[in-house]
Amino acid sequence: MWKIEFLLVTYMIKSFAMKQSTIAFLFIACLFSLSSFAQGPRVLVVTAHPDDETGFSVTMFKITKELHGEVDMAVMTDGGGGFADSQLGAVYYGLNLTDSMVARTHLPLIRKQEITNAAKIMGVRNIFFMEQEDDYYTLDINPYISGKNWEIKYVERRMDKILAERQYDFVITMLPHPGQHGHHKTAALMGIRAVQRYKGANKPIIIAGSPARADAKPVEFTMLEGYPETKISPTAPSFTLNRAFRFKENDKVSYKIVADWVISEYKSQGAIQENGIHRTDMEVYRYYDLNDPSGIAKVKKLFDDLAKSGFAAPTK
């Protein structure tokens, strides 16, 4: 009898071991599968306010959803100053958001939720909030880059840490042309200077993005006066993602719909809808001169891949 019991116990042990091995094998296979799945580009998008990323939303969506890459955002301000066009947002949220005192109390939390919702649509992994004051509209960069109105040293330390830990392939900023908000230009400089300071083995390539319409003249920009680090390479081409391409299946759907999904999350910000973001046909990216020229080929490959991924038209 004891022999039978011994054989049963031995069988059970072997069976358990085989099951454990199978589970271990499946776990390891799953890890390898996930590892091979997440082989796309790693990108950090640096902006000033929640909603600024709407100019890059289709690129971000396609990187995460179609190229299986990783996208993070670094957002400089708390968004508390965005109340000038919040009339409908006031109705939606049941708060008098057009009143500056009410807005500065409630908008930072509201806009964090809005950008979190938008980020889910675009597949964004992390949002790093720098919590600088969204004080007032001005074209002047000096109050911010000087450290008078923003804690620039704090932002620099965080940006350095993020770049060191995350090992990005690309960093995207807004195009810091003279007509931009002072916050936008400062945010771009924070991204540029962080890449300049980067001491790692694989320095990320930094590019400047801006939305454009097919029927409008492109924004002319070579460098923000007084800030040579913003110089755009005179020899590199610009890179374009076509939002307006209509899918072959029915000729009714385009990636503009993704941009609309993202914009619709910003209930507190009426102007970005009213100003016709849906009519934006392209996202145009330019190559900062501070990059190594060898990086141009990498950016070209990124946009070639984006042009061929998902439902986009194959390149000819």
Side-chain angles (χ1 to χ4, degrees):
M1 183 70 179
W2 66 270
K3 289 183 178 179
I4 295 173
E5 290 176 349
F6 174 80
L7 290 172
L8 284 172
V9 170
T10 303
Y11 173 79
M12 290 172 66
I13 291 171
K14 287 182 177 179
S15 178
F16 178 77
M18 289 176 65
K19 287 180 180 178
Q20 291 295 94
S21 297
T22 302
I23 292 168
F25 173 80
L26 290 173
F27 178 74
I28 292 168
C30 183
L31 285 179
F32 274 112
S33 176
L34 288 172
S35 176
S36 61
F37 189 71
Q39 292 297 310
R42 294 163 295 182
V43 181
L44 177 67
V45 175
V46 183
T47 63
H49 314 98
D51 77 23
D52 289 341
E53 83 289 346
T54 55
F56 321 131
S57 59
V58 176
T59 293
M60 295 165 70
F61 177 90
K62 284 173 69 66
I63 287 172
T64 64
K65 303 295 185 180
E66 296 175 359
L67 300 188
H68 311 304
E70 297 171 344
V71 175
D72 294 337
M73 287 192 284
V75 183
M76 295 296 137
T77 77
D78 62 8
F83 52 83
D85 304 302
S86 293
Q87 294 87 347
L88 288 175
V91 176
Y92 181 84
Y93 289 110
L95 296 164
N96 186 14
L97 295 178
T98 58
D99 179 272
S100 63
M101 296 296 290
V102 175
R104 292 191 183 282
T105 299
H106 294 283
L107 267 183
L109 186 58
I110 287 172
R111 296 186 76 181
K112 278 189 178 68
Q113 186 60 59
E114 289 176 341
I115 195 172
T116 300
N117 295 342
K120 289 178 182 177
I121 293 169
M122 295 179 289
V124 171
R125 180 179 58 172
N126 296 302
I127 307 174
F128 304 105
F129 294 104
M130 301 297 165
E131 301 291 357
Q132 301 306 296
E133 185 181 3
D134 183 9
D135 48 8
Y136 53 85
Y137 182 83
T138 177
L139 298 181
D140 190 1
I141 193 175
N142 292 317
Y144 311 102
I145 200 66
S146 67
K148 179 182 177 183
N149 289 21
W150 285 6
E151 297 177 75
I152 290 297
K153 294 298 181 185
Y154 164 77
V155 174
E156 288 177 343
R157 288 194 300 272
R158 282 205 68 194
M159 290 293 293
D160 290 348
K161 188 172 187 291
I162 291 165
L163 261 61
E165 291 179 349
R166 304 287 171 165
Q167 298 288 298
Y168 297 106
D169 300 305
F170 303 96
V171 174
I172 297 174
T173 74
M174 301 181 80
L175 186 70
H177 63 79
Q180 284 275 26
H181 193 322
H183 295 169
H184 294 168
K185 289 181 279 197
T186 307
L189 276 168
M190 291 295 93
I192 292 167
R193 291 180 175 180
V195 170
Q196 282 184 313
R197 291 189 303 271
Y198 184 79
K199 302 299 183 184
N202 299 305
K203 179 175 286 193
I205 297 166
I206 184 163
I207 56 178
S210 56
R213 289 174 56 174
D215 59 355
K217 184 180 178 181
V219 175
E220 294 183 7
F221 179 78
T222 55
M223 184 183 77
L224 184 63
E225 185 177 356
Y227 299 94
E229 60 267 55
T230 65
K231 181 182 177 182
I232 299 299
S233 171
T235 58
S238 59
F239 305 91
T240 301
L241 183 138
N242 182 9
R243 288 184 174 189
F245 166 76
R246 293 185 177 276
F247 303 159
K248 292 186 284 288
E249 283 75 5
N250 53 21
D251 199 38
K252 296 177 183 178
V253 178
S254 76
Y255 282 101
K256 286 187 177 186
I257 292 172
V258 172
D260 290 341
W261 291 344
V262 174
I263 292 163
S264 70
E265 294 299 335
Y266 291 99
K267 308 298 191 296
S268 71
Q269 305 299 302
I272 56 174
Q273 289 92 346
E274 188 65 24
N275 288 342
I277 289 293
H278 183 81
R279 295 197 297 274
T280 296
D281 301 300
M282 298 172 288
E283 297 176 16
V284 180
Y285 296 86
R286 308 184 202 199
Y287 195 80
Y288 283 113
D289 199 47
L290 63 89
N291 293 304
D292 190 289
S294 64
I296 295 172
K298 295 178 182 177
V299 180
K300 183 180 184 303
K301 183 181 185 307
L302 171 65
F303 283 90
D304 285 347
D305 290 344
L306 289 170
K308 293 182 287 187
S309 67
F311 290 94
T315 55
K316 294 181 180 179

